[in-house]
Amino acid sequence: MLEHLRAPFKKLIEPLAKALISIGLTANAVTVIGTIGTIVVAFVAGITGWLFAGAVVLTLLVLADSLDGSIAKLTTGGTQFGAFLDSTLDRIADWALLAGVIVFFILHADWWYDISQSSPDYISWVGVGAAMVSMMTSFVTSYARARAESVGFEVKNGIATRADRLVIILVGMAITGLTHHGLWLAIGMVLLAVLGVATVFQRILEARRQMTAGHRTYQP
Ligand SMILES: CCCCCCCC/C=C\CCCCCCCC(=O)OC[C@H](COP(=O)(O)OP(=O)(O)OC[C@H]1O[C@@H](n2ccc(N)nc2=O)[C@H](O)[C@@H]1O)OC(=O)CCCCCCC/C=C\CCCCCCCC
Ligand SMILES: O=P([O-])([O-])O[C@@H]1[C@@H](O)[C@H](O)[C@@H](O)[C@H](O)[C@@H]1O
Ligand SMILES: [Mg+2]
Ligand SMILES: [Mg+2]
């Protein structure tokens, strides 16, 4: 859904990319720093329960994934290894964000759920289950695209591509952080799981359509 915002978003962050180039940062360095930062902050947020602060910092770190491509475009023009590194480390960042959410649900189930007088612990298990499904669909969505590309077909459709998935996770974290109600993050995870399953089906069907037609659509 948000994929069509890529071009205007890129234009918006171009000055920031130029500033990073001027202090000597390379695209690959930004890719690696962004990923390491995401892993650390996602787990710190999950363990401490500082979800709003975590969402703000993670938003900036996720931005690094857009900045690396902008830096590459302005310097080397983009490299094969850079593209490989970017997509590969994205999987680790995706894992870290959802693992951080799971850690949060497990560690903070007791004191984040004060919506009613009772302690609806089951909400945290719904959150854990949905986050686990989302982790799987996030990997399979990206794998389906990469596997199709490896045999010459472009399969990047779907209702929940990466930017959508990131926004759902970060907005869910931010709202739960602000309200102290874990229910919002659990709702976000259920939404992500449902949209993720739908996206996997959309990509499988699109791959079948293209492969049955037999016209190659992707040139590496
Ligand atoms: C600031 C405080 C806010 C506090 C709010 C807290 C709550 C959080 C609420 C909302 C969160 C919003 C999250 C924003 C999500 C952004 C999504 C995003 O950026 O995703 C990243 C992807 C990057 O994709 P990719 O890595 O594929 O592209 P690249 O451009 O990197 O290109 C890859 C090619 O580049 C080459 N290359 C790369 C690396 C390398 N080392 N070498 C290379 O050579 C190679 O050729 C590669 O092939 O971006 C997208 O998916 C684009 C879509 C973006 C849609 C954005 C939607 C934004 C929505 C809301 C914005 C909210 C405000 C955010 C703050 C903005 C501040 C300016
Ligand atoms: O396929 P998906 O996960 O929705 O979206 C993602 C793409 O938007 C991105 O360009 C690529 O670098 C990632 O590896 C990932 O594939
Ligand atoms: Mg990138
Ligand atoms: Mg990326």
Side-chain angles (χ1 to χ4, degrees):
M1 280 183 288
L2 291 172
E3 204 37 53
H4 65 278
L5 292 179
R6 185 179 281 266
F9 192 66
K10 285 272 165 197
K11 222 176 180 66
L12 190 73
I13 62 168
E14 196 173 286
L16 199 49
K18 287 183 175 158
L20 294 179
I21 293 170
S22 73
I23 60 168
L25 280 173
T26 64
N28 288 351
V30 172
T31 305
V32 172
I33 293 168
T35 306
I36 294 173
T38 300
I39 296 168
V40 172
V41 177
F43 277 91
V44 169
I47 291 166
T48 58
W50 298 339
L51 291 196
F52 183 73
V56 171
V57 179
L58 286 168
T59 298
L60 300 178
L61 287 164
V62 157
L63 217 61
D65 183 27
S66 216
L67 285 167
D68 58 5
S70 303
I71 293 171
K73 196 171 159 207
L74 291 165
T75 52
T76 59
T79 64
Q80 283 183 341
F81 177 70
F84 165 84
L85 187 71
D86 185 321
S87 289
T88 303
L89 296 194
D90 281 352
R91 306 290 76 80
I92 301 178
D94 290 349
W95 160 78
L97 286 169
L98 289 166
V101 167
I102 290 171
V103 167
F104 165 78
F105 278 123
I106 291 172
L107 292 185
H108 300 290
D110 51 343
W111 56 274
W112 282 80
Y113 299 112
D114 53 358
I115 300 167
S116 67
Q117 296 302 343
S118 61
S119 171
D121 276 357
Y122 65 87
I123 291 177
S124 75
W125 291 108
V126 170
V128 168
M132 283 180 173
V133 173
S134 301
M135 201 184 271
M136 178 275 287
T137 56
S138 159
F139 292 152
V140 176
T141 295
S142 305
Y143 179 80
R145 174 178 176 164
R147 187 68 180 84
E149 284 176 356
S150 77
V151 288
F153 298 94
E154 187 169 69
V155 179
K156 59 177 189 181
N157 62 316
I159 194 164
T161 58
R162 189 157 186 265
D164 308 299
R165 302 197 296 271
L166 293 172
V167 168
I168 292 172
I169 297 168
L170 294 172
V171 169
M173 283 177 67
I175 297 177
T176 281
L178 281 176
T179 60
H180 289 208
H181 286 168
L183 179 66
W184 298 110
L185 187 54
I187 290 173
M189 288 303 109
V190 170
L191 177 68
L192 189 57
V194 170
L195 297 183
V197 170
T199 305
V200 168
F201 276 106
Q202 285 177 297
R203 287 200 177 177
I204 290 172
L205 292 174
E206 176 62 13
R208 186 177 68 165
R209 190 189 68 74
Q210 287 187 30
M211 289 170 190
T212 306
H215 304 298
R216 296 265 192 279
T217 51
Y218 182 78
Q219 182 85 38

